[in-house]
Amino acid sequence: MKEQLPVTSPLLPPLEEFIPYLERIWTNRRLTNNGPFHQQLETELASYLGVEHLSLFANGTLALVTALQALRISGEVITTPYTFAATAHSLLWNGIKPVFVDIDPLTCNLDPDRIEEAITPATTAILPVHCYGIPCDVERIERIADTYGLKVIYDAAHAFGVRRNEHSILRHGDLSILSFHATKVFNTFEGGAIVCPDAKIKQRIDYLKNFGFADEVTVVAPGINGKMNEVSAAMGLLQLKHIDSALNARAAIHQRYQQAFQNIPTLRMQQPPPGLVWNHAYCPLFILPEHPINRDVLYERLKANNIHARRYFYPLISSFPMYRGLQSAAGRLLPNANRLAEQVLCLPIYPALDSTGQERVIDIVLDSAR
Ligand SMILES: *Cc1c(COP(=O)(O)O)cnc(C)c1O
């Protein structure tokens, strides 16, 4: 059996480079609670990403749950079914009703035309996802939000480092959340962040992630424990030193897939819009109905060859038992999301994927087109 190829594999810098960070933690005995590495990572990340402020979290899901709390979102929130479970779950954990809206078939992001139709008097916010790191139509979403007085929280878990026309995509909306989970482009083992436009909202979020403590004796809000620990923050600082070469490696792998499949009309890949500095967080391949075999047969064929491609995002969130009873979860209202969920297969892409491994994937996909 050939070496197993996962869909992704974490960016792990050389272990010896991590040891000095651990020695510092052991020396100063600060393990968590806004320690020195935590503070340094907030500063360095904000600068690297080109954003004003950022508050680190233990994971992206707690960042989402807390972002909704920070803006006091309630009632109904418009979101996409074509995403990871955490997006909609963060609404249920806040007692908010998700309202699913269909996606644009080319970007895989919320279709602004459908957002407006879904607004009711109970709508308070929009929770879009920059799916695969490809930006949403942020201008139109902002116009809709302004017209109807809605907040916008971007689930930017896939969008680390994504820029458009020189500007970070994370600067849009009221807040954006990031995930630094092991499977993401940039990882702190587990981790996440809320990107904040100003110091005031960051202050409130910093209170909320530490039980609501403003100082030793003052609790200003029913907060949660969402803090990132020092080992994770140190990992983040070390990752930052390696992230640019990791992003370059991803781009090269993506380009090779693109070149291999470009002449096959029954396969489609994501086309990043002009002016985008993308992070190549995922490599979704859409297996069109005219292809000789369907997505699931190709998925099984890769698996039989020890290649674990993944069907992100299938099944749709709207088909999960806790959501499928919602009016907005009906399949006829979500035709694009349902179709893409049946066609998509995310191919292995990660910095350590070598060309021998990648050619194994390409050979099987090309063979399926014959
Ligand atoms: C990974 C992910 C999350 C959750 O992040 P965690 O850090 O794993 O909690 C949320 N939304 C999307 C779209 C994700 O891909």
Side-chain angles (χ1 to χ4, degrees), residues 323-344:
Y323 299 105
R324 66 184 171 217
L326 293 169
Q327 226 171 36
S328 65
R332 71 189 156 77
L333 299 175
L334 306 167
N336 294 332
N338 275 283
R339 193 174 70 251
L340 295 186
E342 295 294 331
Q343 295 178 351
V344 72

Side-chain angles (χ1 to χ4, degrees), residues 58-62 64 83-87 129 155-158 177-181 183-184 190-192 282 313:
N59 59 61
T61 304
L62 277 167
L64 266 173
T83 175
F84 182 61
T87 312
V129 178
D155 180 341
H158 301 172
I177 81 98
L178 288 165
S179 166
F180 308 144
H181 185 258
T183 54
K184 304 300 206 268
E190 291 254 17
Y282 297 86
F313 288 96

Side-chain angles (χ1 to χ4, degrees), residues 155-175:
D155 180 341
H158 301 172
F160 184 93
V162 175
R163 282 163 215 266
R164 219 189 36 178
N165 305 326
E166 322 278 304
H167 288 290
S168 171
I169 200 69
L170 305 170
R171 297 175 75 109
H172 293 276
D174 294 278
L175 297 171

Side-chain angles (χ1 to χ4, degrees), residues 329-360:
R332 71 189 156 77
L333 299 175
L334 306 167
N336 294 332
N338 275 283
R339 193 174 70 251
L340 295 186
E342 295 294 331
Q343 295 178 351
V344 72
L345 194 57
C346 283
L347 301 179
I349 186 165
Y350 49 91
L353 177 62
D354 62 19
S355 58
T356 316
Q358 186 174 15
E359 294 309 317
R360 272 170 60 202

Side-chain angles (χ1 to χ4, degrees), residues 4-161:
Q4 159 116 28
L5 297 182
V7 70
T8 190
S9 178
L11 175 60
L12 279 176
L15 181 57
E16 59 272 19
E17 291 182 27
F18 196 48
I19 304 297
Y21 291 87
L22 294 177
E23 286 170 348
R24 267 186 61 191
I25 292 172
W26 257 251
T27 302
N28 63 28
R29 308 185 73 83
R30 288 291 299 277
L31 307 187
T32 185
N33 284 30
N34 199 26
F37 285 141
H38 184 285
Q39 291 175 30
Q40 192 185 342
L41 184 59
E42 284 195 345
T43 309
E44 288 194 19
L45 260 183
S47 151
Y48 178 82
L49 295 170
V51 300
E52 292 299 323
H53 300 277
L54 168 155
S55 180
L56 293 172
F57 273 78
N59 59 61
T61 304
L62 277 167
L64 266 173
V65 167
T66 308
L68 292 159
Q69 285 275 328
L71 299 180
R72 301 183 174 87
I73 305 299
S74 62
E76 296 179 0
V77 169
I78 291 169
T79 192
T80 166
Y82 191 81
T83 175
F84 182 61
T87 312
H89 284 357
S90 71
L91 296 171
L92 284 199
W93 271 69
N94 277 294
I96 297 165
K97 179 178 170 185
V99 175
F100 296 113
V101 157
D102 204 12
I103 56 174
D104 176 297
L106 291 180
T107 64
C108 300
N109 292 326
L110 272 184
D111 180 349
D113 284 333
R114 304 276 89 82
I115 294 177
E116 216 157 343
E117 318 170 337
I119 296 172
T120 76
T123 311
T124 58
I126 309 170
L127 177 58
V129 178
H130 300 300
C131 194
Y132 308 128
I134 302 281
C136 293
D137 189 339
V138 289
E139 284 83 18
R140 282 192 65 196
I141 290 173
E142 184 174 333
R143 275 206 298 281
I144 294 168
D146 287 349
T147 304
Y148 294 89
L150 307 176
K151 301 281 190 199
V152 181
I153 298 174
Y154 282 104
D155 180 341
H158 301 172
F160 184 93

